């Protein structure tokens, strides 16, 4: 059976690959090499494999070259988009900083204007009281003069009547003394009339000045209210986005501000409330101005506390150069991927995302070279698969400070940074903080 099968196989090979002879001729003799069908089959199979392998390898190289070109083009487009986003964020941040500086300047100017207006109001109030006192004195003198004039006029009429009747003058006075008395009374009446006219003119001028001061006081009050309104609007626009940023990150702004205020150790301490004088008729208005000014100071103090808190929470990005997001937070391969991966070349600088203290800096199994930084509010950040570590345990770092270089250490499939945020030891999505910070800074 085997012999027949071998014979049939040999016959098939003979038909497809008939036996051939390769003659080798020299000057003295002629030799030949016999090529059996099996030998030809082996040679043909080997040549086919070589040609197929060559075609396959060439196709793979061409496909890889095309794919690499597309990948580089996509990476360049991603880089351009990211750089445009960074430029936009930088411009927006500069604009917000300029607005904050302008608001600070307007607030300082307003405080100076308020102080000046307060001084002018107090001086106006003093002048008004002095004028009221002067008016009372003038009115008393005018009343006294009018009484004296009426008394003198009655006495003159009595003397005139007595002289006309030829009777005895009051007091037994003679004609010469009566004429002298009349001359004195006439002069006194003329002086009294002049004094009355002068006092009336002074009173009218005083009333005009009082009306002008009242108009000036009303204009100053209206201007003061407008300045306060603009400052209050600017403070509201500045404070609300900061609170929204912390709420978007899952943090309670009130509890956070309370904790920051409790541990505040800045130069100068909290802003001191303004105290206005309560003297004069406008003490109630001064109290209202003091309340509004102190409310603005409270808003400024709140902004300062938000600034301190923002530097202690990881709202910044750990990579500032061009990068690609290769893996996000969530389930991957049946287990939790507890961070976000940023892919970039080896040696790309890595930065701290918030103020804190380095609690670990070294090799950590699958993490490779790992840095752990402890921040306020029970937050910890981790930076894994590094190529180089530039900080030491116990070192205090600031937001934006370079702490190492990107690498491929530990269990890693390529150069990238594995970035984690943990709150109370529990992993949370780092992009929650990064996106919340991008909406404000």
């Amino acid at each position: 059976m085997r012999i027949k099968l071998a014979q049939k196989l040999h016959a098939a090979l003979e038909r497809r690959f008939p036996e051939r002879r390769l003659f080798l001729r020299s000057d003295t003799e002629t030799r030949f090499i016999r090529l059996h069908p099996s030998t030809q089959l082996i040679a043909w199979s080997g040549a086919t494999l070589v040609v197929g392998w060559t075609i396959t390898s060439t196709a793979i190289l061409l496909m890889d070259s095309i794919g690499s070109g597309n990948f580089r083009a996509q990476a360049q487009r991603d880089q351009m988009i990211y750089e445009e986003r960074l430029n936009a964020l930088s411009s927006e941040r500069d604009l917000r900083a300029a607005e904050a500086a302008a608001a600070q300047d307007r607030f300082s100017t307003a405080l100076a204007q308020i102080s000046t207006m307060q001084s002018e109001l107090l001086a106006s109030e003093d002048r008004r009281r002095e004028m009221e006192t002067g008016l009372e004195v003038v009115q008393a003198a005018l009343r006294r003069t009018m009484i004296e004039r009426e008394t003198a006029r009655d006495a003159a009429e009595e003397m005139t009547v007595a002289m006309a009747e030829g009777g005895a003058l009051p007091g037994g006075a003679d004609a010469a003394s009566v004429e002298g008395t009349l001359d004195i009374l006439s002069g006194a009446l003329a002086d009294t009339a002049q004094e009355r006219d002068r006092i009336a003119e002074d009173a009218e001028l005083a009333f005009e000045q009082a009306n002008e001061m009242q108009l000036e006081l009303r204009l100053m009050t209206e201007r003061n209210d407008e300045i306060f309104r603009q400052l209050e609007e600017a403070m509201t626009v500045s404070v609300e986005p900061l609170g929204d940023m912390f709420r978007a990150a899952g943090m309670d702004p009130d509890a956070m501000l309370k904790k920051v205020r409790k541990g505040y150790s800045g130069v100068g301490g909290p802003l001191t409330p303004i105290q206005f004088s309560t003297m004069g008729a406008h003490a109630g208005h001064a109290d209202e101005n003091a309340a509004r000014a102190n409310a603005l100071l409270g808003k400024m103090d709140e902004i300062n506390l938000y600034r301190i808190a923002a530097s202690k929470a990881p709202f910044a990005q750990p990579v500032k150069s061009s990068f690609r997001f290769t893996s996000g937070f969530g389930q991957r391969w049946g287990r939790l991927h507890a961070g976000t991966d940023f892919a970039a070349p080896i040696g790309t600088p890595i930065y701290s995302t918030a103020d804190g203290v380095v609690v670990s800096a070294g090799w950590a199994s699958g993490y490779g070279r790992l840095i752990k930084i402890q921040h306020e509010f029970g937050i910890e950040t981790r930076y894994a698969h590094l190529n180089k570590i530039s900080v030491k345990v116990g070192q205090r770092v600031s937001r934006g400070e370079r702490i190492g270089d990107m690498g491929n250490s530990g269990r890693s499939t390529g150069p990238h940074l594995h970035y984690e945020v943990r709150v109370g030891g529990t992993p949370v999505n780092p992009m929650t903080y990064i996106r919340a910070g991008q909406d404000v800074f």
Side-chain angles (χ1 to χ4, degrees), residues 142-205:
L142 182 60
R143 286 193 297 270
R144 186 176 62 255
T145 303
M146 294 294 292
I147 293 173
E148 292 176 353
R149 185 192 66 177
E150 294 297 331
T151 302
R153 179 177 298 172
D154 293 341
E157 289 178 353
E158 290 178 359
M159 291 181 181
T160 301
V161 171
M163 291 177 64
E165 294 177 352
L169 296 175
D174 56 7
S177 62
V178 168
E179 291 180 357
T181 302
L182 289 175
D183 293 337
I184 293 173
L185 290 175
S186 299
L189 288 174
D191 293 340
T192 301
Q194 293 178 355
E195 182 69 17
R196 180 197 63 192
D197 294 338
R198 185 181 64 80
I199 291 174
E201 292 176 356
D202 291 341
E204 184 177 0
L205 179 61

Side-chain angles (χ1 to χ4, degrees), residues 240-286:
E240 288 182 354
L242 295 172
D244 294 339
M245 177 183 70
F246 284 95
R247 278 187 287 270
M251 304 175 68
D252 183 4
D254 295 333
M256 182 239 0
L257 290 179
K258 183 178 180 181
K259 185 172 182 180
V260 173
R261 185 180 287 108
K262 183 178 181 181
Y264 180 76
S265 59
V267 177
L271 297 175
T272 304
I274 297 176
Q275 297 292 337
F276 286 91
S277 173
T278 57
M279 296 176 61
H282 298 279
H285 189 70

Side-chain angles (χ1 to χ4, degrees), residues 316-394:
Q317 288 197 147
V319 181
K320 299 181 181 179
S321 305
S322 299
F323 66 87
R324 291 179 298 110
F325 288 110
T326 56
S327 185
F329 180 87
Q331 294 295 324
R332 187 181 68 174
W333 302 330
R335 57 185 300 181
L336 176 65
H337 182 248
T340 299
D341 292 344
F342 300 77
I346 292 178
T348 300
I350 305 300
Y351 302 92
S352 173
T353 55
D355 298 351
V357 178
V358 179
V359 295
S360 178
W363 191 270
S365 184
Y367 282 109
R369 293 182 181 88
L370 172 69
I371 297 175
K372 295 181 183 180
I373 300 179
Q374 185 65 46
H375 309 282
E376 295 289 340
F377 318 119
I379 300 175
E380 177 188 271
T381 55
R382 296 185 178 187
Y383 312 79
H385 306 306
L386 301 180
N387 183 61
K388 179 183 177 182
I389 295 177
S390 303
V391 293
K392 298 179 180 179
V393 175

Side-chain angles (χ1 to χ4, degrees), residues 56-120:
T56 304
S57 300
T58 304
I60 292 174
L61 289 175
L62 289 175
M63 292 176 64
D64 185 64
S65 177
I66 295 172
S68 298
N70 293 335
F71 177 76
R72 285 194 296 271
Q74 181 65 30
Q76 291 176 355
R77 287 194 295 270
D78 292 342
Q79 179 178 356
M80 293 177 61
I81 294 173
Y82 177 71
E83 289 177 352
E84 291 176 357
R85 175 61 177 167
L86 284 180
N87 293 333
L89 289 175
S90 178
S91 300
E92 186 177 356
R93 181 195 61 191
D94 295 340
L95 179 61
R96 293 298 178 89
E99 290 177 353
Q104 180 71 21
D105 294 338
R106 290 196 299 270
F107 185 75
S108 300
T109 303
L111 286 181
Q113 292 177 351
I114 291 171
S115 178
T116 302
M117 287 188 291
Q118 181 71 7
S119 300
E120 293 176 356

